[in-house]
Amino acid sequence: MSAADSAIEVRDLAYRYPDGTLALEGVSLRVAPGERVALLGPNGAGKSTLIGHLNGILPAQRGQVLIAGQALTRATLAWARQTVGVVFQDPDNMLFMTHLADDVAFGPRNQGLGEERVGQRVERVLELVGLGELAAKPGLHLSFGQKKRAALATVLAMAPRVLVLDEPTSNLDPRAKRAMIELLAGLDATLIVATHDMDLAWTLCDRALVLDGGRLVADGPAGAIMVDAALMHRHGLEVPHLALHRYPGQVFPQDGEHPHRHPPGTIPEYPGHEPGAPGARVPARGFPGGDGEDPG
Amino acid sequence: MANTPPSETDQALGLDPRAKILAALCLIAPVALTPPMGLAEFALIVTCIAATVAVLEGPVGVVLLRALLVLPFAGAIALFAPLARLETWSHEAVMLVYAQGWPLMLAILSKAYVSVLAVSALAATTAPPELLRGLRALGVPDILLSLLTFILRYTALFREQIAAMRVAIASRAPRLRGWRRLRLYGALGGNLFVRAYERGEQVYDAMLARGYTGVLPTPGHLNWRSADSRFLALGLAFGLAIILYP
């Protein structure tokens, strides 16, 4: 895969915070269009710092970030932020306008779209995340699960080609978590999901990256990486419960793709559901915020 | 689904927020700049504002009470205002300036109350997004509008954080009293400041990620109609009456 073929490429990225903390060191990776990548790692591994680099919120101190083959520079920053949408962990940080519709419209308006198209996008995206009836409500008055979906809607409305999510299921109850996973599984987009939620990563992603101490320590098929118990343990992670439920008592192989991995784009059963039942395929609904035009 | 749903009040009366803002200014400026008003004039102005709030289907009682919040601040100014006329420091001189200065104190209090009452009436009868749109259309700088937007959005969150921290203190130090408690609240204040700063940074990052370039985008144009002109004319007439009243 050449740089031009990749949705995102990171080359030898390094970042040190002003207090001296080394957050990233020599991180290199490539994500192909349409791939679903789990970014795994313990607290302080550098996941959020890496995310901050993917659309230029943090400037690379060393190395380079390329979006669809274009180097991320001051000149390409605005385009990069339209192309790579980042959903941050705390939805309260993303819902800063006085009501939900304005929050969702914030990105499209910054893209310079006319009010009619902004309105269409807002309507489509809010319907998609199941918040169509709450457009006039202030973000503050939503439940936490609704806020998480609203935060996702604010980014989907910009029709990014790559969607980067930081802990999309953190602090959600099981039902809200399930709804979020179904929502994400239905998106037809390149996904990069930074998470501790191993079940989410197992369900959603084809590929897993493990970051620890600011370094990329593993990169491979999710079905191989995430069932490597020794690797997971070494880096403060664990084998997904879904994998354990499906294969109780099994010692997972240390390498190679797991033979019974769910195919991409499917949602497997959850603990409490019938173990081993095939997951229901969720049809991709296209990129929800887009209306056909090239946002770039 | 409307993209920016108007408030129920605005839907009912169809008033442009600019008309309300300008009408409020037409009232506040003459009150602030004219000589002190008498009790009857004060009562008349308050009644007129209350009636306007009632016509605009706002909460009259809440507006009247909310405006009282200014009294402690205006009272502090009013308390010391007569001392500006003091020429020599003596018990008798102080008593004299206060004996002669009470109309000045009342004037400060009444002007402050009426001014805040007008603002309170405006806020109670106009939805915050509409108010912000009106202010923007009137040319208020973006930085001030951004600040207002964030104050509106994050005050409640700030309040929630304070409540959570107070619960945490009460749970872990239920018997803490006196200066130690005060010291703890000092630390709480510092902690809140740091948290607010950090959240500010995070919100700013989230805004940048969605293409923010320094200007808060707002929906399309406001629609000025003849009802808005009539409302503004009423405000202007009221302001002129205050100025021309002997």
Side-chain angles (χ1 to χ4, degrees):
Chain A
M1 179 173 56
S2 70
D5 295 334
S6 59
I8 285 188
E9 183 178 356
V10 174
R11 289 180 186 163
D12 192 29
L13 194 64
Y15 189 82
R16 189 183 289 278
Y17 280 101
D19 68 356
T21 307
L22 183 67
L24 293 175
E25 178 56 37
V27 173
S28 296
L29 59 96
R30 259 186 201 172
V31 177
E35 238 185 331
R36 294 178 173 191
V37 181
L39 186 57
L40 308 172
N43 290 330
K47 301 188 295 292
S48 296
T49 308
L50 179 56
I51 285 176
H53 282 85
L54 297 184
N55 72 349
I57 296 297
L58 293 175
Q61 292 171 346
R62 195 190 77 207
Q64 204 176 22
V65 176
L66 295 96
I67 313 294
Q70 294 280 319
L72 186 49
T73 61
R74 192 175 285 272
T76 57
L77 196 58
W79 168 80
R81 286 177 180 163
Q82 289 181 26
T83 308
V84 181
V86 178
V87 183
F88 293 92
Q89 182 176 357
D90 187 346
D92 273 317
N93 293 340
M94 301 192 68
L95 305 174
F96 39 77
M97 300 297 278
T98 45
H99 62 257
L100 181 56
D102 256 358
D103 269 312
V104 178
F106 183 86
R109 282 191 186 129
N110 280 325
Q111 289 176 319
L113 299 184
E115 276 308 304
E116 194 180 337
R117 281 171 70 194
V118 169
Q120 287 166 359
R121 282 199 182 186
V122 170
E123 190 171 349
R124 284 177 63 191
V125 169
L126 283 179
E127 288 299 331
L128 180 92
V129 301
L131 299 177
E133 300 299 314
L134 303 178
K137 229 179 165 184
L140 178 72
H141 295 156
L142 302 176
S143 71
F144 192 78
Q146 288 170 337
K147 281 182 187 175
K148 279 282 208 187
R149 281 185 282 145
L152 176 63
T154 63
V155 174
L156 290 179
M158 296 179 72
R161 294 174 188 167
V162 181
L163 194 57
V164 181
L165 301 116
D166 193 358
E167 297 289 358
T169 55
S170 63
N171 298 325
L172 290 181
D173 63 38
R175 185 174 14 185
K177 178 175 155 178
R178 177 77 181 170
M180 176 60 82
I181 292 175
E182 283 179 357
L183 188 57
L184 294 176
L187 299 178
D188 184 17
T190 307
L191 287 183
I192 299 176
V193 186
T195 185
H196 290 125
D197 184 341
M198 303 302 284
D199 288 337
L200 164 75
W202 175 262
T203 305
L204 209 60
C205 300
D206 317 311
R207 180 178 158 200
L209 308 173
V210 181
L211 204 62
D212 198 359
R215 294 171 191 276
L216 193 61
V217 295
D219 180 356
I225 298 279
M226 294 176 68
V227 295
D228 184 340
L231 177 73
M232 294 291 100
H233 183 73
R234 208 162 44 242
H235 297 291
L237 301 166
E238 59 182 7
V239 174
H241 292 153
L242 285 176
L244 294 171
H245 271 259
R246 191 168 173 84
Y247 311 110
Q250 180 165 343
V251 176
F252 288 105
Q254 297 295 305
D255 52 27
E257 187 166 358
H258 198 282
H260 303 296
R261 174 87 172 87
H262 293 282
T266 65
I267 299 193
E269 69 286 350
Y270 263 62
H273 291 229
E274 187 191 349
R281 175 115 196 144
V282 175
R285 284 169 280 190
F287 213 72
D291 39 18
E293 85 286 11
D294 183 351
Chain B
M1 181 193 69
N3 182 27
T4 49
S7 71
E8 285 174 14
T9 306
D10 290 344
Q11 274 179 329
L13 295 160
L15 281 180
D16 188 304
R18 288 173 296 182
K20 294 186 197 173
I21 294 166
L22 291 173
L25 286 175
C26 285
L27 177 69
I28 292 169
V31 164
L33 299 175
T34 51
M37 63 188 101
L39 190 62
E41 292 87 354
F42 172 75
L44 180 67
I45 293 173
V46 170
T47 306
C48 286
I49 295 175
T52 309
V53 173
V55 168
L56 293 174
E57 298 171 7
V60 179
V62 172
V63 170
L64 289 171
L65 285 175
R66 198 181 283 164
L68 290 173
L69 286 173
V70 77
L71 292 186
F73 305 100
I77 296 168
L79 193 65
F80 294 105
L83 295 177
R85 294 176 180 171
L86 195 65
E87 289 172 356
T88 54
W89 273 98
S90 68
H91 180 72
E92 291 76 18
V94 170
M95 293 301 287
L96 187 65
V97 292
Y98 271 102
Q100 294 172 344
W102 67 266
L104 174 67
M105 295 167 74
L106 281 180
I108 291 171
L109 289 174
S110 59
K111 281 169 182 275
Y113 181 78
V114 168
S115 302
V116 174
L117 185 66
V119 173
S120 177
L122 174 66
T125 56
T126 316
E130 290 298 305
L131 200 54
L132 291 171
R133 286 177 69 195
L135 289 169
R136 163 163 295 202
L138 290 170
V140 173
D142 277 312
I143 185 72
L144 284 179
L145 291 176
S146 303
L147 283 172
L148 281 173
T149 305
F150 295 142
I151 287 169
L152 281 170
R153 170 63 182 87
Y154 287 102
T155 300
L157 207 64
F158 206 61
R159 211 180 294 138
E160 275 176 21
Q161 294 230 332
I162 292 173
M165 288 168 89
R166 287 184 67 180
V167 168
I169 289 174
S171 309
R172 281 150 56 200
R175 293 195 192 87
L176 206 60
R177 293 282 180 273
W179 69 272
R180 289 179 64 192
R181 188 180 177 89
L182 278 177
R183 220 171 72 170
L184 196 62
Y185 274 101
L188 185 147
N191 197 317
L192 272 174
F193 177 78
V194 173
R195 285 192 194 189
Y197 182 80
E198 282 178 352
R199 186 174 286 276
E201 294 273 300
Q202 290 161 357
V203 170
Y204 186 63
D205 282 350
M207 293 170 75
L208 286 181
R210 275 149 65 198
Y212 179 67
T213 52
V215 179
L216 277 184
T218 49
H221 301 292
L222 291 163
N223 194 14
W224 186 276
R225 291 180 293 187
S226 59
D228 302 308
S229 301
R230 286 199 296 275
F231 187 78
L232 181 56
L234 199 68
L236 270 170
F238 198 72
L240 275 174
I242 293 171
I243 292 169
L244 298 175
Y245 185 76

